[in-house]
Amino acid sequence: MEGSIVIRQMREEDFEKVHALWETIQGFGIRSLDDSRDDIVRFLRRNPETSVVAESEGKIVGSILCGSDGRQGTLYHVCVDVSYRRQGIGTQMVGYCMRALRNLGINKVTLVAYTNNSTGNAFWRRIGWKKRPDFNYYDFVLNENNITRFIGEDPQ
């Protein structure tokens, strides 16, 4: 690690550096439409205070997209550059998002972690999050062109 880490609000102009970070995270799922520049900018404009980056000497080394529907908050795309892990950066970013949500009157935060993401699942357990065994998660694809590509996996 070089220099100090600054945890700050994510801005629209961070998109290229954040997206470049996502491209380095093994197993990370990037959607063709939802993770485009236009859609991330739209997300940030809808949730201007809640998303966060970790920055070291101008390099984005961590990020979380965080938003709210007015009732509960959700964390998306939580990641830290592999060479900066185990230094508390992820925990600090999660804390930033949770404080921002609490300031908006949000009382519950959720996230989705892929079952095969052992690093991510271990992180969430380590910082006190609980896996919910009492419900099923469903989704419905409204646009078949929104394809998820997983970093480090061979295209099928």
Side-chain angles (χ1 to χ4, degrees):
M1 180 180 112
E2 299 175 17
S4 64
I5 304 296
V6 174
I7 307 294
R8 64 167 175 81
Q9 183 176 321
M10 187 184 296
R11 301 183 295 250
E12 292 177 23
E13 57 268 21
D14 293 324
F15 174 78
E16 284 76 18
K17 290 180 180 180
V18 168
H19 199 276
L21 171 64
W22 294 347
E23 291 282 349
T24 70
I25 306 296
Q26 181 72 25
F28 201 81
I30 298 178
R31 292 187 183 150
S32 57
L33 300 177
D34 292 343
D35 296 323
S36 68
R37 184 180 213 307
D38 287 344
D39 278 14
I40 296 300
V41 166
R42 182 172 49 130
F43 182 88
L44 293 173
R45 288 179 181 171
R46 182 181 173 118
N47 302 280
E49 303 167 357
T50 52
S51 294
V52 64
V53 295
E55 187 174 31
S56 176
E57 299 180 353
K59 178 181 179 182
I60 301 292
V61 299
S63 69
I64 300 176
L65 288 176
C66 175
S68 165
D69 61 7
R71 183 169 178 204
Q72 75 178 17
T74 305
L75 304 182
Y76 304 94
H77 287 1
V78 178
C79 66
V80 174
D81 182 299
V82 68
S83 62
Y84 288 80
R85 291 182 184 165
R86 308 291 295 179
Q87 300 175 39
I89 296 168
T91 303
Q92 289 177 60
M93 290 191 308
V94 170
Y96 178 103
C97 292
M98 293 172 75
R99 284 186 300 279
L101 290 167
R102 191 177 305 123
N103 289 340
L104 294 172
I106 303 300
N107 298 307
K108 180 181 177 185
V109 185
T110 63
L111 63 92
V112 173
Y114 289 107
T115 55
N116 64 351
N117 180 353
S118 58
T119 301
N121 285 295
F123 169 75
W124 295 115
R125 284 190 302 274
R126 189 172 59 254
I127 67 169
W129 286 59
K130 306 291 183 226
K131 182 180 173 186
R132 295 280 307 262
D134 59 331
F135 71 93
N136 297 316
Y137 176 84
Y138 296 92
D139 65 15
F140 190 91
V141 176
L142 294 175
N143 187 337
E144 295 292 333
N145 293 321
N146 194 26
I147 306 301
T148 301
R149 174 178 54 89
F150 291 95
I151 305 303
E153 293 185 4
D154 294 328
Q156 309 273 337

